[in-house]
Amino acid sequence: MAESISQYGFTAVPRSLSKILAHTASNPPAKVDAADITPPSSELAKKVYAYAKEHLSEQTFNHSMRVFYYGSTIATHHLPKFLPSLETYYLTALLHDIGTTTHNLHSTLLSFEFQGGLLALNLLQSLGAPKEQAESVAEAIIRHQDLGESGMITSVGGLIQLATVFADNMGINPQLIDTATIESVTALFPRNKWSSCFAATIREEVGLKPWSHTTSIEGFAEGVEGNKLMEAYE
């Protein structure tokens, strides 16, 4: 059990991202060429990549890949204890927005993160992923917008928050990643006006489901549209 907790990213870390990053304040921004980052290449990883490529829009797929590149960079340079779960994080990054596809958003009354977590759990189990790994991905997807200062979250969940809400979506914590890293990642996976695209998705879900978990982030759509860190790469 203890080995699975570490291997699949169930290590408990503070839900407060400021606490996660407290010891990184003196670290320089991570400067990495995207060409030097190698995504996991297991058969499971390849199958999930193909699934995401088929089912996600180009904008959402590119976002998901950027989330992997930013998250793996943050883990390597600032949060090395997160590294044992890198493949699990890759699967999470690929699937974290699967609940936002037109079909998946409209086919359920569940908030998109919850729908996405359940879809990912079923998909990974059908592809032969270890039970603990599938559950780790599902947990992280369900909680990837569960921001707050109290309690704990898994290391994969914390990392996906850092790379999504606090980097690619809203541009918070710019000190973590050097602009040269952003330039190389966005060259490989262009944003193609991602900020306006995702802001529209947020408003669509809230319109469809005014109870959705997305409403817990006040001013979310406006914050995404106002992402100054990524504005030059739109």
Side-chain angles (χ1 to χ4, degrees), residues 198-225:
F198 188 54
T201 299
I202 292 168
R203 292 189 173 107
E204 181 181 9
E205 183 185 37
V206 172
L208 288 168
K209 308 166 190 176
W211 57 83
S212 63
H213 187 257
T214 293
T215 60
S216 68
I217 306 176
E218 293 188 17
F220 192 19
E222 294 76 16
V224 170
E225 289 173 325

Side-chain angles (χ1 to χ4, degrees), residues 97-212:
D97 274 347
I98 195 65
T100 66
T101 68
T102 299
H103 172 75
N104 291 335
L105 198 62
H106 288 258
S107 65
T108 180
L109 296 177
L110 290 171
S111 298
F112 89 86
E113 312 101 298
F114 294 80
Q115 171 74 339
L118 295 176
L119 289 169
L121 180 65
N122 291 333
L123 172 68
L124 292 171
Q125 289 179 326
S126 74
L127 295 176
K131 178 175 179 287
E132 297 87 349
Q133 185 175 44
E135 290 176 343
S136 178
V137 172
E139 169 104 1
I141 291 174
I142 289 168
R143 298 190 65 189
H144 83 270
Q145 294 192 154
D146 181 26
L147 312 180
E149 292 300 310
S150 63
M152 308 295 280
I153 194 169
T154 69
S155 57
V156 171
L159 191 57
I160 200 78
Q161 287 189 359
L162 281 170
T164 54
V165 177
F166 290 92
D168 205 50
N169 286 341
M170 297 184 77
I172 303 173
N173 292 312
Q175 77 280 4
L176 294 176
I177 303 174
D178 192 272
T179 54
T181 304
I182 296 173
E183 289 170 2
S184 69
V185 171
T186 54
L188 197 58
F189 299 102
R191 290 182 66 82
N192 295 331
K193 301 189 181 302
W194 171 250
S195 291
S196 59
C197 172
F198 188 54
T201 299
I202 292 168
R203 292 189 173 107
E204 181 181 9
E205 183 185 37
V206 172
L208 288 168
K209 308 166 190 176
W211 57 83
S212 63

Side-chain angles (χ1 to χ4, degrees), residues 35-61:
D36 295 329
I37 298 173
T38 304
S41 58
S42 68
E43 285 304 309
L44 176 63
K46 290 176 182 177
K47 289 176 181 177
V48 174
Y49 175 95
Y51 179 92
K53 185 75 170 174
E54 177 183 354
H55 289 86
L56 297 174
S57 68
E58 181 180 2
Q59 286 168 304
T60 306
F61 177 79

Side-chain angles (χ1 to χ4, degrees), residues 25-85:
S26 61
N27 293 357
K31 188 173 183 179
V32 179
D33 190 323
D36 295 329
I37 298 173
T38 304
S41 58
S42 68
E43 285 304 309
L44 176 63
K46 290 176 182 177
K47 289 176 181 177
V48 174
Y49 175 95
Y51 179 92
K53 185 75 170 174
E54 177 183 354
H55 289 86
L56 297 174
S57 68
E58 181 180 2
Q59 286 168 304
T60 306
F61 177 79
N62 283 359
H63 162 68
S64 300
M65 291 301 294
R66 290 193 304 272
V67 164
F68 167 70
Y69 277 72
Y70 294 145
S72 62
T73 298
I74 291 169
T76 300
H77 292 268
H78 300 290
L79 301 167
K81 70 177 181 179
F82 287 32
L83 286 178
S85 59

